[in-house]
Amino acid sequence: MSRALVLVDLQYDFLPGGALAVARGDETIAVAKRMIPRFHIVVATQDWHPRDHKSFAANHPGTKPGQVIELGGMPQVLWPPHCVQGTPGAELHKDLDASRFQAVFRKGTDPEIDSYSGFFDNGKRKATGLDTWLHERRVDHLYVLGLATDYCVKYTVLDARTLGFEVTLIADGCRAVELAPGDGERAFDEMRAAGTTILDSGSIAA
Ligand code: VGL
Ligand code: ZN
């Protein structure tokens, strides 16, 4: 059995200056760069929305980012338009050696439903293929870092635990949106309660 590094949404729109900037999100890039050479199996997820995506406040007249609406029978936080397919903000950070990514799993492509997790959309209607891909390579332990702690990292980690993977979260390689103060810490607590090991990159063996 083997381990894999999973890099979650390390895209310009989630970094300072981006459309959905995460405070100090840029600090995750150096951690990712240090971790990539230590893994034989590296995959990335990429938030990849059509411009008419219904998670964008701009597509619901009279709403504002941060507001919660109902979408497809589920609560949906509305965001500024971000990670629009083909735009510079949707690109994975150029300092990451993409030649070391065996696969990139795009998510959030259906305009009708959001997809925080790298495994499934928020309604668990469709899989991205990440679970099958990992099983085919006999991966049983995921090392996860990226953006944002309280959304895509959290949902990816919780799905991974439900699917039976061992999960180590690389805490210094994550930053949170924090729509409400403390969301990042609460996300760590939820992931820990689901059986995730939370470590800093310095204590992960090569
Ligand atoms: C994310 C909000 C909306 C994330 C993606 O990558 O955490 N958050 N889309
Ligand atoms: Zn998104």
Side-chain angles (χ1 to χ4, degrees), residues 21-135:
V22 176
R24 298 167 60 207
D26 51 327
E27 295 174 10
T28 62
I29 302 300
V31 179
K33 283 177 67 177
R34 285 201 306 276
M35 297 306 296
I36 289 169
R38 301 197 197 177
F39 284 80
H40 292 297
I41 301 180
V42 181
V43 298
T45 67
Q46 188 172 27
D47 213 32
W48 191 251
H49 298 306
R51 196 171 288 282
D52 62 350
H53 199 267
K54 291 197 175 152
S55 73
F56 297 169
N59 293 324
H60 302 274
T63 65
K64 284 201 291 263
Q67 203 172 316
V68 180
I69 63 156
E70 195 185 293
L71 183 62
M74 291 177 296
Q76 171 68 50
V77 179
L78 294 178
W79 303 106
H82 64 277
C83 300
V84 173
Q85 297 172 5
T87 63
E91 292 305 309
L92 296 171
H93 198 284
K94 65 166 177 30
D95 291 354
L96 304 172
D97 181 4
S99 74
R100 299 267 356 263
F101 302 166
Q102 275 99 335
V104 176
F105 292 86
R106 288 178 168 170
K107 60 188 182 63
T109 55
D110 179 344
E112 300 299 326
I113 191 162
D114 213 351
S115 186
Y116 294 144
S117 164
F119 290 97
F120 306 103
D121 61 65
N122 291 2
K124 297 238 167 105
R125 291 175 202 160
K126 278 194 193 136
T128 60
L130 175 58
D131 181 37
T132 306
W133 193 96
L134 293 168
H135 277 115

Side-chain angles (χ1 to χ4, degrees), residues 8-9 11 14 20 47 49 55 79 82-83 107 114-116 147-153 177:
V8 178
D9 296 4
Q11 296 166 262
F14 298 123
L20 209 174
D47 213 32
H49 298 306
S55 73
W79 303 106
H82 64 277
C83 300
K107 60 188 182 63
D114 213 351
S115 186
Y116 294 144
L147 298 167
T149 312
D150 38 357
Y151 289 94
C152 292
V153 170
V177 175

